[in-house]
Amino acid sequence: MRPAFVFGTRPEIIKLAPVVRAFDELGVESLLIHTGQHYDYEMSRVFLEELGLDDIDHHLEVGSGTQAEQTGRAMMGIERVLMDEKPDVTLVQGDTNTVLAGALASVKLRIPVAHVEAGLRSFDRTMPEEINRVLADHASEILFAPTEEARENLEREGIVENVYVVGNTVVDAVLQNSELAEKKSNVLERLGLKSGKYILVTAHRAENTDRKENLEKLVEILENLPIKAVYPMHPRTRGKLGEFGLMRRVEVIDNLMITKPLGYLDFLRLERNARLIMTDSGGIQEEAIILNVPCLTLRYNTERPETVKAGGNVLVGLELDRVLHYVDKLLTDEGFYSMMATAPNPFGDGKAGERIAKALLNLWENGELKVTTSRFI
Ligand code: UD1
Ligand code: UDP
């Protein structure tokens, strides 16, 4: 059997690495296709190196662009590779433009698509990611839902066959790398940070960065944080702060340390040792609850509602008062802090990669890894 992996951004590399590793352990060699949606060293190569994926078979160098430019270029490149290589299945992960491109190019060549992290829904159609999720799920033959809630979302849309609830591969990634991170990373020493004494911030989503009034709200939040904060900044945010003339305001904040995006080992160590995390990232909402660190999500909705239900995550949006209320509560109210920090991890046991690889191998051995010719919804 020969599986093809299509990925292009930081979170896809992190969350697919455990699946590649699981196939390796079963003696199955994978075809690795990198679209190049992310291309800076610290957004891509650092993860390939740290996670043992530096043997990429095809680099497509798609780069940045409008939604259609990026998706279209990726589709053309992926189609060419899949026509040449003829893998048995194409795996995609998550909700980026790379995922949509990989799913569409593959299913139209009648190569079945396996969607890892299927069934997530924010129900917010203004997010490009929501469009990508829905379309990728409907183009997929095999759906690996991380949770029962995600499976129910698929069922509501009529997708019931070949749906496996396997947990989220992010747990595998955290378990496989966090001990190594504590041993190998010197990020706290390098940045002069003390465990439990800082807030870790990340924000990069289009809904928070692409409109000046929203980005200004983020800046105002950063200006008012009561303790030290560290912000490894995504290039999208850096670009938009520059474009809207807001960079100077951020640079002069005393309590705030801005860094380049960090490698996975450094970032995991920063997460684990933070007093709390403020983020609009999907993956970081998941990692926070896995690592027992309270999370305040700088969004008004989430496709990871399990984290909120479990009590480890609060949606604070970009509302300054609400953000500061929860930051203060987490710094001063030990009972509240420990309630959030002990919220149970809803994303499984860290064996999702193994389940995915075994399920696909089993389908292949039974001759069932193929695109169905008709589907009624
Ligand atoms: C993409 C995903 C988002 C995911 C994020 C992970 C889509 C629609 N969005 O958003 O869901 O959370 O990846 O980090 O697919 N840039 C660089 N260097 C890079 C990559 C990007 O400078 O290596 C800059 C460019 O100015 C680019 C901008 O960041 O225009 C945005 O990059 P893009 O890939 O379009 O989307 P992300 O914001 O990274
Ligand atoms: N991450 C990292 N370095 C950073 C910021 C994030 O290694 O400087 C990791 C983080 O641990 C998580 C993933 O990147 O596994 C999340 O990616 P991102 O926030 O870019 O995307 P999203 O999950 O929102 O799609």
Side-chain angles (χ1 to χ4, degrees):
M1 178 199 177
R2 192 141 169 269
F5 285 78
V6 174
F7 47 83
T9 69
R10 165 167 85 182
E12 295 162 73
I13 300 171
I14 293 168
K15 289 176 168 178
L16 281 176
V19 189
V20 177
R21 185 196 274 211
F23 270 118
D24 264 0
E25 284 166 6
L26 293 171
V28 175
E29 202 181 313
S30 302
L31 179 77
L32 304 182
I33 306 167
H34 191 321
T35 62
Q37 178 171 344
H38 284 176
Y39 43 86
D40 290 345
Y41 174 82
E42 57 270 12
M43 294 300 288
S44 170
R45 180 141 288 283
V46 64
F47 302 103
L48 300 174
E49 288 170 2
E50 285 182 338
L51 301 172
L53 295 183
D54 35 7
D55 234 353
I56 299 293
D57 297 286
H58 297 274
H59 267 290
L60 304 180
E61 296 181 8
V62 163
S64 306
T66 65
Q67 295 289 313
E69 284 165 355
Q70 193 173 54
T71 311
R73 280 202 298 269
M75 268 185 86
M76 290 194 288
I78 295 164
E79 180 181 61
R80 197 169 12 86
V81 173
L82 294 180
M83 284 196 308
D84 285 350
E85 299 273 7
K86 301 185 178 54
D88 295 300
V89 61
T90 304
L91 288 98
V92 292
Q93 190 284 333
D95 53 21
T96 67
N97 289 342
T98 290
V99 172
L100 178 60
L104 286 181
S106 183
V107 69
K108 289 190 170 195
L109 290 171
R110 309 198 49 71
I111 298 168
V113 180
H115 190 197
V116 178
E117 204 179 73
L120 271 61
R121 296 290 181 269
S122 67
F123 304 101
D124 177 354
R125 287 278 182 147
T126 64
M127 296 170 68
E129 290 86 359
E130 182 74 354
I131 310 292
N132 294 343
R133 282 178 205 120
V134 172
L135 297 181
D137 281 340
H138 283 262
S140 294
E141 208 63 41
I142 306 110
L143 299 105
F144 293 109
T147 62
E148 186 54 30
E149 283 89 332
R151 190 198 62 72
E152 283 166 13
N153 288 336
L154 293 171
E155 188 178 2
R156 264 200 302 278
E157 293 173 20
I159 303 176
V160 289
E161 273 174 42
N162 279 335
V163 178
Y164 299 77
V165 179
V166 291
N168 196 309
T169 59
V170 73
V171 184
D172 309 34
V174 169
L175 297 183
Q176 286 167 15
N177 293 289
S178 50
E179 240 177 71
L180 197 62
E182 289 300 320
K183 265 194 224 139
K184 276 198 154 178
S185 161
N186 63 0
V187 71
L188 296 186
E189 297 74 13
R190 237 170 45 232
L191 300 179
L193 294 167
K194 288 207 173 64
S195 181
K197 301 279 183 220
Y198 63 89
I199 300 173
L200 174 60
V201 185
T202 82
H204 71 280
R205 289 303 182 105
E207 65 264 31
N208 284 340
T209 58
D210 283 12
R211 287 187 23 220
K212 187 175 181 191
E213 64 266 34
N214 288 347
L215 197 54
E216 263 177 328
K217 287 188 187 172
L218 176 68
V219 172
E220 215 184 337
I221 290 169
L222 297 172
E223 286 171 335
N224 283 284
L225 293 178
I227 64 168
K228 197 164 204 162
V230 55
Y231 184 170
M233 194 175 278
H234 191 289
R236 177 185 208 108
T237 317
R238 191 176 285 278
K240 290 290 171 186
L241 284 169
E243 187 183 321
F244 297 138
L246 293 168
M247 192 47 122
R248 185 79 195 123
R249 256 177 80 182
V250 174
E251 279 169 354
V252 298
I253 302 172
D254 260 357
N255 263 346
L256 181 69
M257 192 185 311
I258 296 173
T259 73
K260 283 183 159 187
L262 296 169
Y264 196 45
L265 299 183
D266 278 346
F267 196 77
L268 272 178
R269 186 154 184 245
L270 266 192
E271 284 183 297
R272 188 199 270 277
N273 288 284
R275 175 74 181 182
L276 67 112
I277 294 175
M278 279 175 36
T279 190
D280 62 10
S281 157
I284 297 169
Q285 289 174 63
E286 295 161 349
E287 287 172 349
I289 199 164
I290 297 165
L291 293 165
N292 298 117
V293 181
C295 182
L296 302 179
T297 293
L298 300 165
R299 287 174 45 187
Y300 296 90
N301 57 48
T302 179
E303 58 292 325
R304 275 96 174 164
E306 299 89 345
T307 56
V308 178
K309 268 189 226 144
N313 186 12
V314 179
L315 298 180
V316 289
L318 291 176
E319 303 309 316
L320 181 63
D321 290 348
R322 188 166 162 82
V323 173
L324 294 182
H325 167 76
Y326 278 102
V327 170
D328 180 61
K329 216 163 148 60
L330 284 168
L331 295 178
T332 56
D333 181 342
E334 280 305 323
F336 182 71
Y337 176 86
S338 88
M339 194 190 74
M340 282 194 77
T342 55
N345 157 31
F347 295 117
D349 58 2
K351 295 193 172 132
E354 189 184 315
R355 287 192 193 97
I356 291 168
K358 283 188 173 158
L360 290 174
L361 191 56
N362 193 38
L363 286 170
W364 179 77
E365 282 168 351
N366 294 330
E368 288 166 359
L369 200 51
K370 52 184 185 233
V371 174
T372 43
T373 46
S374 58
R375 186 190 277 175
F376 300 99
I377 293 178

PDB file of all heavy atoms in Angstrom, residues 324-355:
ATOM      1  N   LEU A 324      -9.660  41.045  30.202  1.00  0.00           N
ATOM      2  CA  LEU A 324      -8.975  41.423  31.445  1.00  0.00           C
ATOM      3  C   LEU A 324      -9.630  40.796  32.673  1.00  0.00           C
ATOM      4  O   LEU A 324      -8.955  40.423  33.631  1.00  0.00           O
ATOM      5  CB  LEU A 324      -8.919  42.952  31.577  1.00  0.00           C
ATOM      6  CG  LEU A 324      -8.059  43.653  30.511  1.00  0.00           C
ATOM      7  CD1 LEU A 324      -8.027  45.151  30.741  1.00  0.00           C
ATOM      8  CD2 LEU A 324      -6.633  43.081  30.458  1.00  0.00           C
ATOM      9  N   HIS A 325     -10.956  40.650  32.625  1.00  0.00           N
ATOM     10  CA  HIS A 325     -11.667  39.999  33.725  1.00  0.00           C
ATOM     11  C   HIS A 325     -11.126  38.576  33.934  1.00  0.00           C
ATOM     12  O   HIS A 325     -10.797  38.169  35.047  1.00  0.00           O
ATOM     13  CB  HIS A 325     -13.168  39.974  33.423  1.00  0.00           C
ATOM     14  CG  HIS A 325     -13.953  39.073  34.319  1.00  0.00           C
ATOM     15  ND1 HIS A 325     -14.266  39.415  35.618  1.00  0.00           N
ATOM     16  CD2 HIS A 325     -14.459  37.816  34.122  1.00  0.00           C
ATOM     17  CE1 HIS A 325     -14.941  38.415  36.187  1.00  0.00           C
ATOM     18  NE2 HIS A 325     -15.067  37.438  35.288  1.00  0.00           N
ATOM     19  N   TYR A 326     -11.022  37.834  32.828  1.00  0.00           N
ATOM     20  CA  TYR A 326     -10.575  36.439  32.954  1.00  0.00           C
ATOM     21  C   TYR A 326      -9.079  36.339  33.267  1.00  0.00           C
ATOM     22  O   TYR A 326      -8.650  35.459  33.998  1.00  0.00           O
ATOM     23  CB  TYR A 326     -10.944  35.628  31.707  1.00  0.00           C
ATOM     24  CG  TYR A 326     -12.384  35.172  31.772  1.00  0.00           C
ATOM     25  CD1 TYR A 326     -13.374  35.820  31.039  1.00  0.00           C
ATOM     26  CD2 TYR A 326     -12.753  34.134  32.618  1.00  0.00           C
ATOM     27  CE1 TYR A 326     -14.705  35.419  31.134  1.00  0.00           C
ATOM     28  CE2 TYR A 326     -14.077  33.738  32.723  1.00  0.00           C
ATOM     29  CZ  TYR A 326     -15.050  34.379  31.980  1.00  0.00           C
ATOM     30  OH  TYR A 326     -16.349  33.985  32.094  1.00  0.00           O
ATOM     31  N   VAL A 327      -8.290  37.245  32.719  1.00  0.00           N
ATOM     32  CA  VAL A 327      -6.852  37.224  33.038  1.00  0.00           C
ATOM     33  C   VAL A 327      -6.690  37.451  34.543  1.00  0.00           C
ATOM     34  O   VAL A 327      -5.980  36.706  35.231  1.00  0.00           O
ATOM     35  CB  VAL A 327      -6.078  38.300  32.233  1.00  0.00           C
ATOM     36  CG1 VAL A 327      -4.651  38.426  32.756  1.00  0.00           C
ATOM     37  CG2 VAL A 327      -6.074  37.961  30.742  1.00  0.00           C
ATOM     38  N   ASP A 328      -7.390  38.457  35.060  1.00  0.00           N
ATOM     39  CA  ASP A 328      -7.282  38.782  36.481  1.00  0.00           C
ATOM     40  C   ASP A 328      -7.733  37.588  37.342  1.00  0.00           C
ATOM     41  O   ASP A 328      -7.070  37.217  38.313  1.00  0.00           O
ATOM     42  CB  ASP A 328      -8.149  40.022  36.766  1.00  0.00           C
ATOM     43  CG  ASP A 328      -8.078  40.399  38.228  1.00  0.00           C
ATOM     44  OD1 ASP A 328      -6.949  40.705  38.675  1.00  0.00           O
ATOM     45  OD2 ASP A 328      -9.109  40.342  38.936  1.00  0.00           O
ATOM     46  N   LYS A 329      -8.841  36.979  36.952  1.00  0.00           N
ATOM     47  CA  LYS A 329      -9.370  35.831  37.705  1.00  0.00           C
ATOM     48  C   LYS A 329      -8.346  34.680  37.708  1.00  0.00           C
ATOM     49  O   LYS A 329      -8.134  34.023  38.731  1.00  0.00           O
ATOM     50  CB  LYS A 329     -10.662  35.378  37.027  1.00  0.00           C
ATOM     51  CG  LYS A 329     -11.738  34.877  37.964  1.00  0.00           C
ATOM     52  CD  LYS A 329     -13.081  34.858  37.239  1.00  0.00           C
ATOM     53  CE  LYS A 329     -13.996  33.752  37.717  1.00  0.00           C
ATOM     54  NZ  LYS A 329     -14.360  33.801  39.119  1.00  0.00           N
ATOM     55  N   LEU A 330      -7.696  34.475  36.575  1.00  0.00           N
ATOM     56  CA  LEU A 330      -6.719  33.375  36.504  1.00  0.00           C
ATOM     57  C   LEU A 330      -5.451  33.686  37.295  1.00  0.00           C
ATOM     58  O   LEU A 330      -4.727  32.779  37.701  1.00  0.00           O
ATOM     59  CB  LEU A 330      -6.378  33.056  35.038  1.00  0.00           C
ATOM     60  CG  LEU A 330      -7.463  32.270  34.297  1.00  0.00           C
ATOM     61  CD1 LEU A 330      -7.201  32.249  32.799  1.00  0.00           C
ATOM     62  CD2 LEU A 330      -7.565  30.833  34.828  1.00  0.00           C
ATOM     63  N   LEU A 331      -5.181  34.966  37.500  1.00  0.00           N
ATOM     64  CA  LEU A 331      -3.975  35.333  38.254  1.00  0.00           C
ATOM     65  C   LEU A 331      -4.232  35.384  39.755  1.00  0.00           C
ATOM     66  O   LEU A 331      -3.320  35.213  40.556  1.00  0.00           O
ATOM     67  CB  LEU A 331      -3.444  36.694  37.777  1.00  0.00           C
ATOM     68  CG  LEU A 331      -2.932  36.758  36.334  1.00  0.00           C
ATOM     69  CD1 LEU A 331      -2.482  38.169  35.982  1.00  0.00           C
ATOM     70  CD2 LEU A 331      -1.792  35.764  36.113  1.00  0.00           C
ATOM     71  N   THR A 332      -5.499  35.610  40.137  1.00  0.00           N
ATOM     72  CA  THR A 332      -5.751  35.866  41.561  1.00  0.00           C
ATOM     73  C   THR A 332      -6.622  34.805  42.231  1.00  0.00           C
ATOM     74  O   THR A 332      -6.583  34.658  43.453  1.00  0.00           O
ATOM     75  CB  THR A 332      -6.449  37.238  41.750  1.00  0.00           C
ATOM     76  OG1 THR A 332      -7.644  37.229  40.958  1.00  0.00           O
ATOM     77  CG2 THR A 332      -5.554  38.380  41.336  1.00  0.00           C
ATOM     78  N   ASP A 333      -7.418  34.083  41.463  1.00  0.00           N
ATOM     79  CA  ASP A 333      -8.369  33.145  42.054  1.00  0.00           C
ATOM     80  C   ASP A 333      -7.849  31.716  41.820  1.00  0.00           C
ATOM     81  O   ASP A 333      -8.060  31.128  40.766  1.00  0.00           O
ATOM     82  CB  ASP A 333      -9.735  33.379  41.372  1.00  0.00           C
ATOM     83  CG  ASP A 333     -10.840  32.485  41.914  1.00  0.00           C
ATOM     84  OD1 ASP A 333     -10.518  31.459  42.547  1.00  0.00           O
ATOM     85  OD2 ASP A 333     -12.011  32.810  41.687  1.00  0.00           O
ATOM     86  N   GLU A 334      -7.173  31.186  42.826  1.00  0.00           N
ATOM     87  CA  GLU A 334      -6.521  29.867  42.673  1.00  0.00           C
ATOM     88  C   GLU A 334      -7.535  28.768  42.364  1.00  0.00           C
ATOM     89  O   GLU A 334      -7.246  27.841  41.600  1.00  0.00           O
ATOM     90  CB  GLU A 334      -5.722  29.501  43.928  1.00  0.00           C
ATOM     91  CG  GLU A 334      -4.347  30.166  44.025  1.00  0.00           C
ATOM     92  CD  GLU A 334      -3.434  29.925  42.804  1.00  0.00           C
ATOM     93  OE1 GLU A 334      -3.460  28.823  42.228  1.00  0.00           O
ATOM     94  OE2 GLU A 334      -2.703  30.861  42.414  1.00  0.00           O
ATOM     95  N   GLY A 335      -8.730  28.868  42.965  1.00  0.00           N
ATOM     96  CA  GLY A 335      -9.763  27.851  42.736  1.00  0.00           C
ATOM     97  C   GLY A 335     -10.163  27.833  41.261  1.00  0.00           C
ATOM     98  O   GLY A 335     -10.244  26.763  40.638  1.00  0.00           O
ATOM     99  N   PHE A 336     -10.392  29.020  40.716  1.00  0.00           N
ATOM    100  CA  PHE A 336     -10.795  29.121  39.310  1.00  0.00           C
ATOM    101  C   PHE A 336      -9.662  28.634  38.415  1.00  0.00           C
ATOM    102  O   PHE A 336      -9.868  27.877  37.467  1.00  0.00           O
ATOM    103  CB  PHE A 336     -11.163  30.575  38.985  1.00  0.00           C
ATOM    104  CG  PHE A 336     -11.624  30.760  37.572  1.00  0.00           C
ATOM    105  CD1 PHE A 336     -12.860  30.274  37.161  1.00  0.00           C
ATOM    106  CD2 PHE A 336     -10.820  31.409  36.642  1.00  0.00           C
ATOM    107  CE1 PHE A 336     -13.281  30.433  35.839  1.00  0.00           C
ATOM    108  CE2 PHE A 336     -11.234  31.569  35.324  1.00  0.00           C
ATOM    109  CZ  PHE A 336     -12.471  31.075  34.920  1.00  0.00           C
ATOM    110  N   TYR A 337      -8.454  29.065  38.765  1.00  0.00           N
ATOM    111  CA  TYR A 337      -7.288  28.647  37.978  1.00  0.00           C
ATOM    112  C   TYR A 337      -7.194  27.122  37.944  1.00  0.00           C
ATOM    113  O   TYR A 337      -7.056  26.516  36.888  1.00  0.00           O
ATOM    114  CB  TYR A 337      -6.000  29.239  38.578  1.00  0.00           C
ATOM    115  CG  TYR A 337      -4.773  28.754  37.857  1.00  0.00           C
ATOM    116  CD1 TYR A 337      -4.322  29.410  36.715  1.00  0.00           C
ATOM    117  CD2 TYR A 337      -4.090  27.609  38.272  1.00  0.00           C
ATOM    118  CE1 TYR A 337      -3.225  28.937  36.010  1.00  0.00           C
ATOM    119  CE2 TYR A 337      -3.004  27.129  37.577  1.00  0.00           C
ATOM    120  CZ  TYR A 337      -2.574  27.804  36.452  1.00  0.00           C
ATOM    121  OH  TYR A 337      -1.494  27.336  35.753  1.00  0.00           O
ATOM    122  N   SER A 338      -7.307  26.510  39.111  1.00  0.00           N
ATOM    123  CA  SER A 338      -7.072  25.063  39.113  1.00  0.00           C
ATOM    124  C   SER A 338      -8.233  24.326  38.458  1.00  0.00           C
ATOM    125  O   SER A 338      -8.044  23.274  37.846  1.00  0.00           O
ATOM    126  CB  SER A 338      -6.710  24.553  40.500  1.00  0.00           C
ATOM    127  OG  SER A 338      -7.863  24.226  41.192  1.00  0.00           O
ATOM    128  N   MET A 339      -9.444  24.918  38.504  1.00  0.00           N
ATOM    129  CA  MET A 339     -10.566  24.297  37.796  1.00  0.00           C
ATOM    130  C   MET A 339     -10.269  24.268  36.283  1.00  0.00           C
ATOM    131  O   MET A 339     -10.434  23.251  35.620  1.00  0.00           O
ATOM    132  CB  MET A 339     -11.830  25.106  38.064  1.00  0.00           C
ATOM    133  CG  MET A 339     -13.103  24.403  37.685  1.00  0.00           C
ATOM    134  SD  MET A 339     -14.459  25.584  37.788  1.00  0.00           S
ATOM    135  CE  MET A 339     -14.184  26.599  36.352  1.00  0.00           C
ATOM    136  N   MET A 340      -9.790  25.388  35.763  1.00  0.00           N
ATOM    137  CA  MET A 340      -9.487  25.415  34.321  1.00  0.00           C
ATOM    138  C   MET A 340      -8.301  24.508  33.984  1.00  0.00           C
ATOM    139  O   MET A 340      -8.287  23.825  32.971  1.00  0.00           O
ATOM    140  CB  MET A 340      -9.209  26.850  33.850  1.00  0.00           C
ATOM    141  CG  MET A 340     -10.473  27.668  33.651  1.00  0.00           C
ATOM    142  SD  MET A 340     -10.174  29.198  32.732  1.00  0.00           S
ATOM    143  CE  MET A 340     -10.025  28.613  31.042  1.00  0.00           C
ATOM    144  N   ALA A 341      -7.314  24.531  34.849  1.00  0.00           N
ATOM    145  CA  ALA A 341      -6.078  23.785  34.552  1.00  0.00           C
ATOM    146  C   ALA A 341      -6.259  22.273  34.662  1.00  0.00           C
ATOM    147  O   ALA A 341      -5.444  21.524  34.138  1.00  0.00           O
ATOM    148  CB  ALA A 341      -4.954  24.254  35.470  1.00  0.00           C
ATOM    149  N   THR A 342      -7.313  21.839  35.348  1.00  0.00           N
ATOM    150  CA  THR A 342      -7.500  20.387  35.482  1.00  0.00           C
ATOM    151  C   THR A 342      -8.627  19.870  34.590  1.00  0.00           C
ATOM    152  O   THR A 342      -9.063  18.727  34.743  1.00  0.00           O
ATOM    153  CB  THR A 342      -7.783  19.993  36.943  1.00  0.00           C
ATOM    154  OG1 THR A 342      -8.910  20.759  37.390  1.00  0.00           O
ATOM    155  CG2 THR A 342      -6.597  20.241  37.852  1.00  0.00           C
ATOM    156  N   ALA A 343      -9.090  20.691  33.677  1.00  0.00           N
ATOM    157  CA  ALA A 343     -10.148  20.243  32.755  1.00  0.00           C
ATOM    158  C   ALA A 343      -9.657  19.017  31.984  1.00  0.00           C
ATOM    159  O   ALA A 343      -8.506  18.974  31.547  1.00  0.00           O
ATOM    160  CB  ALA A 343     -10.495  21.372  31.790  1.00  0.00           C
ATOM    161  N   PRO A 344     -10.530  18.020  31.826  1.00  0.00           N
ATOM    162  CA  PRO A 344     -10.083  16.785  31.157  1.00  0.00           C
ATOM    163  C   PRO A 344      -9.887  16.966  29.652  1.00  0.00           C
ATOM    164  O   PRO A 344     -10.667  17.647  29.004  1.00  0.00           O
ATOM    165  CB  PRO A 344     -11.223  15.805  31.436  1.00  0.00           C
ATOM    166  CG  PRO A 344     -12.412  16.654  31.732  1.00  0.00           C
ATOM    167  CD  PRO A 344     -11.910  17.932  32.317  1.00  0.00           C
ATOM    168  N   ASN A 345      -8.851  16.332  29.140  1.00  0.00           N
ATOM    169  CA  ASN A 345      -8.540  16.397  27.709  1.00  0.00           C
ATOM    170  C   ASN A 345      -9.572  15.605  26.892  1.00  0.00           C
ATOM    171  O   ASN A 345      -9.687  14.397  27.064  1.00  0.00           O
ATOM    172  CB  ASN A 345      -7.124  15.811  27.516  1.00  0.00           C
ATOM    173  CG  ASN A 345      -6.893  15.307  26.103  1.00  0.00           C
ATOM    174  OD1 ASN A 345      -7.455  15.827  25.140  1.00  0.00           O
ATOM    175  ND2 ASN A 345      -6.063  14.278  25.976  1.00  0.00           N
ATOM    176  N   PRO A 346     -10.300  16.284  25.994  1.00  0.00           N
ATOM    177  CA  PRO A 346     -11.333  15.565  25.231  1.00  0.00           C
ATOM    178  C   PRO A 346     -10.834  14.939  23.927  1.00  0.00           C
ATOM    179  O   PRO A 346     -11.639  14.430  23.149  1.00  0.00           O
ATOM    180  CB  PRO A 346     -12.335  16.687  24.916  1.00  0.00           C
ATOM    181  CG  PRO A 346     -11.503  17.937  24.851  1.00  0.00           C
ATOM    182  CD  PRO A 346     -10.309  17.735  25.734  1.00  0.00           C
ATOM    183  N   PHE A 347      -9.518  14.993  23.676  1.00  0.00           N
ATOM    184  CA  PHE A 347      -9.031  14.639  22.334  1.00  0.00           C
ATOM    185  C   PHE A 347      -8.370  13.271  22.228  1.00  0.00           C
ATOM    186  O   PHE A 347      -7.724  12.971  21.232  1.00  0.00           O
ATOM    187  CB  PHE A 347      -8.090  15.737  21.825  1.00  0.00           C
ATOM    188  CG  PHE A 347      -8.804  17.046  21.636  1.00  0.00           C
ATOM    189  CD1 PHE A 347      -8.445  18.173  22.381  1.00  0.00           C
ATOM    190  CD2 PHE A 347      -9.842  17.159  20.724  1.00  0.00           C
ATOM    191  CE1 PHE A 347      -9.113  19.382  22.218  1.00  0.00           C
ATOM    192  CE2 PHE A 347     -10.517  18.365  20.552  1.00  0.00           C
ATOM    193  CZ  PHE A 347     -10.153  19.470  21.311  1.00  0.00           C
ATOM    194  N   GLY A 348      -8.536  12.447  23.274  1.00  0.00           N
ATOM    195  CA  GLY A 348      -8.084  11.063  23.124  1.00  0.00           C
ATOM    196  C   GLY A 348      -6.746  10.780  23.770  1.00  0.00           C
ATOM    197  O   GLY A 348      -6.182  11.595  24.499  1.00  0.00           O
ATOM    198  N   ASP A 349      -6.229   9.567  23.462  1.00  0.00           N
ATOM    199  CA  ASP A 349      -5.134   8.985  24.233  1.00  0.00           C
ATOM    200  C   ASP A 349      -3.774   9.055  23.558  1.00  0.00           C
ATOM    201  O   ASP A 349      -2.807   8.462  24.019  1.00  0.00           O
ATOM    202  CB  ASP A 349      -5.474   7.517  24.522  1.00  0.00           C
ATOM    203  CG  ASP A 349      -5.701   6.730  23.224  1.00  0.00           C
ATOM    204  OD1 ASP A 349      -5.562   7.316  22.132  1.00  0.00           O
ATOM    205  OD2 ASP A 349      -6.036   5.528  23.306  1.00  0.00           O
ATOM    206  N   GLY A 350      -3.696   9.715  22.400  1.00  0.00           N
ATOM    207  CA  GLY A 350      -2.391   9.802  21.735  1.00  0.00           C
ATOM    208  C   GLY A 350      -2.101   8.640  20.809  1.00  0.00           C
ATOM    209  O   GLY A 350      -0.965   8.458  20.376  1.00  0.00           O
ATOM    210  N   LYS A 351      -3.133   7.863  20.501  1.00  0.00           N
ATOM    211  CA  LYS A 351      -2.923   6.729  19.574  1.00  0.00           C
ATOM    212  C   LYS A 351      -3.725   6.920  18.293  1.00  0.00           C
ATOM    213  O   LYS A 351      -4.047   5.948  17.602  1.00  0.00           O
ATOM    214  CB  LYS A 351      -3.318   5.427  20.257  1.00  0.00           C
ATOM    215  CG  LYS A 351      -2.411   5.117  21.432  1.00  0.00           C
ATOM    216  CD  LYS A 351      -2.602   3.705  21.910  1.00  0.00           C
ATOM    217  CE  LYS A 351      -1.520   3.410  22.936  1.00  0.00           C
ATOM    218  NZ  LYS A 351      -2.008   2.806  24.128  1.00  0.00           N
ATOM    219  N   ALA A 352      -4.071   8.148  17.991  1.00  0.00           N
ATOM    220  CA  ALA A 352      -4.888   8.417  16.796  1.00  0.00           C
ATOM    221  C   ALA A 352      -4.126   8.026  15.531  1.00  0.00           C
ATOM    222  O   ALA A 352      -4.700   7.431  14.614  1.00  0.00           O
ATOM    223  CB  ALA A 352      -5.287   9.892  16.757  1.00  0.00           C
ATOM    224  N   GLY A 353      -2.833   8.345  15.483  1.00  0.00           N
ATOM    225  CA  GLY A 353      -2.026   8.042  14.294  1.00  0.00           C
ATOM    226  C   GLY A 353      -2.048   6.557  13.983  1.00  0.00           C
ATOM    227  O   GLY A 353      -2.252   6.142  12.831  1.00  0.00           O
ATOM    228  N   GLU A 354      -1.862   5.764  15.019  1.00  0.00           N
ATOM    229  CA  GLU A 354      -1.856   4.304  14.858  1.00  0.00           C
ATOM    230  C   GLU A 354      -3.223   3.808  14.355  1.00  0.00           C
ATOM    231  O   GLU A 354      -3.306   2.991  13.438  1.00  0.00           O
ATOM    232  CB  GLU A 354      -1.557   3.717  16.243  1.00  0.00           C
ATOM    233  CG  GLU A 354      -1.293   2.256  16.277  1.00  0.00           C
ATOM    234  CD  GLU A 354      -1.114   1.815  17.748  1.00  0.00           C
ATOM    235  OE1 GLU A 354      -0.404   2.502  18.522  1.00  0.00           O
ATOM    236  OE2 GLU A 354      -1.723   0.785  18.103  1.00  0.00           O
ATOM    237  N   ARG A 355      -4.302   4.362  14.932  1.00  0.00           N
ATOM    238  CA  ARG A 355      -5.645   3.929  14.507  1.00  0.00           C
ATOM    239  C   ARG A 355      -5.884   4.276  13.039  1.00  0.00           C
ATOM    240  O   ARG A 355      -6.462   3.492  12.288  1.00  0.00           O
ATOM    241  CB  ARG A 355      -6.715   4.624  15.368  1.00  0.00           C
ATOM    242  CG  ARG A 355      -6.774   4.093  16.758  1.00  0.00           C
ATOM    243  CD  ARG A 355      -8.014   4.573  17.528  1.00  0.00           C
ATOM    244  NE  ARG A 355      -7.790   4.246  18.921  1.00  0.00           N
ATOM    245  CZ  ARG A 355      -7.317   5.095  19.829  1.00  0.00           C
ATOM    246  NH1 ARG A 355      -7.101   6.360  19.510  1.00  0.00           N
ATOM    247  NH2 ARG A 355      -7.081   4.703  21.062  1.00  0.00           N
TER     248      ARG A 355
END
